[in-house]
Amino acid sequence: PDQVEARKVALEGRRRAEEERAMMAMEETKKRELEELQNRDAEMEKKLDDLRAKEKMELEKYNKSSAEWNKRQSELDTKIASMKENISNISGAISKLQEQLKSLKTKSQRGQG
């Protein structure tokens, strides 16, 4: 009976030791998995940061380009307005010259008549 009891105690000890080894192995596996996930998370964060930086550069480039185009558009609008004013002035001058020419022709015809 003592031998049977001793065997039971020995088997129970081995079972507990096996359980402990299994638990420790599971803990190690979980630690490795957690480490891998943290590494992947860090990699994804870096990729996300890189994408954000790239997007920010693209946006700044677009905004700069857009500002340059807006400036050019404004300069062109100013030139066009100036040209329209010049054309209007020229048209007015032409009309006056045509009236003067008509007036001269009329006076000339009276003088010849």
Side-chain angles (χ1 to χ4, degrees):
D2 285 341
Q3 281 183 334
V4 171
E5 193 60 37
R7 275 191 185 160
K8 282 183 181 178
V9 169
L11 284 173
E12 183 64 26
R14 274 189 243 145
R15 188 183 62 75
R16 284 186 186 151
E18 282 296 316
E19 282 179 0
E20 216 171 288
R21 278 195 293 274
M23 291 292 275
M24 288 174 70
M26 206 182 309
E27 277 183 34
E28 285 301 313
T29 302
K30 294 294 179 191
K31 282 181 185 175
R32 278 195 304 275
E33 287 175 356
L34 180 61
E35 229 175 78
E36 286 175 16
L37 286 173
Q38 288 170 335
N39 289 339
R40 275 195 232 151
D41 186 50
E43 286 174 18
M44 294 303 252
E45 281 294 327
K46 186 182 180 329
K47 286 181 180 178
L48 188 59
D49 288 344
D50 290 348
L51 281 173
R52 284 183 183 132
K54 187 176 179 181
E55 186 177 311
K56 185 178 178 183
M57 274 182 20
E58 289 295 320
L59 186 60
E60 286 172 1
K61 197 164 97 177
Y62 169 80
N63 286 340
K64 183 179 177 185
S65 176
S66 183
E68 288 173 6
W69 280 110
N70 288 341
K71 182 181 174 190
R72 288 182 187 170
Q73 180 67 45
S74 176
E75 290 169 354
L76 286 175
D77 289 345
T78 302
K79 285 182 182 178
I80 289 170
S82 174
M83 287 178 174
K84 284 182 177 179
E85 188 178 335
N86 289 342
I87 289 171
S88 176
N89 292 341
I90 290 170
S91 293
I94 289 173
S95 293
K96 286 181 183 174
L97 287 174
Q98 286 174 334
E99 285 177 25
Q100 289 174 357
L101 186 60
K102 236 194 246 180
S103 174
L104 286 173
K105 280 185 181 176
T106 305
K107 287 180 182 175
S108 169
Q109 288 172 352
R110 282 189 203 149
Q112 288 178 355

